[in-house]
Amino acid sequence: MSAADRRNNRRTVAAYEGYARGYAAAVSSTPSEHAAADLRRFAAALAPPARVLEIGSGPGWDADFLETLGAQVRRTDVTAAFVRFQIERGKQAYSLDLLADEIEGTYDGILLLYVVQHFERDQLDGALRKLAQALTARGVALLSHMLGDGDEWEGDAGDYRVVRWSAAAMDERLRQAGFAVEWESFIDSEQRPWRSVMVRKLG
């Protein structure tokens, strides 16, 4: 990871530190019909009692929903303000920087929604390998990415790094990390196309 890439990621994290509570207030605590359907399909692929690692848990709304489906969720985020927010509402949440930290233990499933767009292209492969190493044999991961090409800074102050991937390019990176794609879904959020993809660890 280059120093410039690391600085870009830390700039994005710092922006979330200042906006975490505003984000929690702005995002519905109940998943949309589309998001709920994806989470149900993900949960259905897990053998109970499934242990799920959520990376980038944010306010924890998706974890709340997954727990109603029987999953045991370990909530993590690189943003300390999100971790504090969840603890204040009575949840257990932990700090985890996927780019810098090792993942302790193994899990039946990993949830990584609206996170990888903040990683530089040279950071993605290492992150995906960590996911594969942290999954049990034939474990599954559900992740989302913004579709397209190129990268940019977003937000009022231009502090949120956004890196776009085509479906084919993302799937090739996933294949190289040891995953097979099982299904995908698409959503146009705020006129920006997003793709969710569930993958299974090979071997």
Side-chain angles (χ1 to χ4, degrees):
M1 182 191 314
S2 73
D5 286 352
R6 187 61 177 167
R7 284 195 300 270
N8 286 351
N9 183 256
R10 299 317 301 174
R11 178 176 165 184
T12 299
V13 172
Y16 275 112
E17 293 287 6
Y19 183 54
R21 292 183 183 276
Y23 181 95
V27 176
S28 173
S29 61
T30 303
S32 67
E33 182 177 345
H34 179 276
D38 282 354
L39 290 170
R40 288 191 183 97
R41 291 180 74 183
F42 173 66
L46 301 167
R51 296 179 67 246
V52 173
L53 173 66
E54 184 180 30
I55 301 172
S57 189
W61 308 141
D62 290 334
D64 291 351
F65 185 77
L66 267 181
E67 286 174 346
T68 70
L69 303 177
Q72 301 172 11
V73 184
R74 182 177 176 86
R75 303 154 184 254
T76 72
D77 206 289
V78 66
T79 304
F82 277 134
V83 173
R84 287 195 301 270
F85 179 84
Q86 292 208 55
I87 291 172
E88 288 170 9
R89 67 185 191 91
K91 306 297 181 179
Q92 289 185 323
Y94 305 89
S95 175
L96 177 67
D97 181 347
L98 182 60
L99 298 179
D101 300 335
E102 296 302 318
I103 299 174
E104 297 182 3
T106 56
Y107 297 84
D108 305 298
I110 295 177
L111 192 64
L112 189 71
L113 299 180
Y114 303 101
V115 173
V116 300
Q117 76 274 11
H118 299 313
F119 296 168
E120 299 297 330
R121 296 188 194 281
D122 289 343
Q123 295 172 327
L124 182 65
D125 291 339
L128 294 179
R129 287 194 295 269
K130 284 185 181 180
L131 300 188
Q133 291 167 0
L135 282 170
T136 57
R138 303 290 294 166
V140 294
L142 177 62
L143 60 90
S144 60
H145 65 97
M146 195 181 294
L147 285 164
D149 297 303
D151 48 69
E152 60 192 344
W153 290 95
E154 290 190 347
D156 293 340
D159 285 330
Y160 296 92
R161 186 66 168 162
V162 172
V163 177
R164 303 171 189 268
W165 291 88
S166 70
M170 179 60 71
D171 287 357
E172 176 60 20
R173 297 296 183 99
L174 288 164
R175 185 193 66 77
Q176 291 178 10
F179 292 107
V181 173
E182 294 216 334
W183 55 261
E184 62 184 359
S185 67
F186 299 89
I187 187 169
D188 187 10
S189 172
E190 300 176 1
Q191 290 73 54
R192 298 180 300 178
W194 287 88
R195 175 183 183 239
S196 293
V197 56
M198 196 188 84
V199 296
R200 190 174 294 278
K201 180 179 177 178
L202 297 173

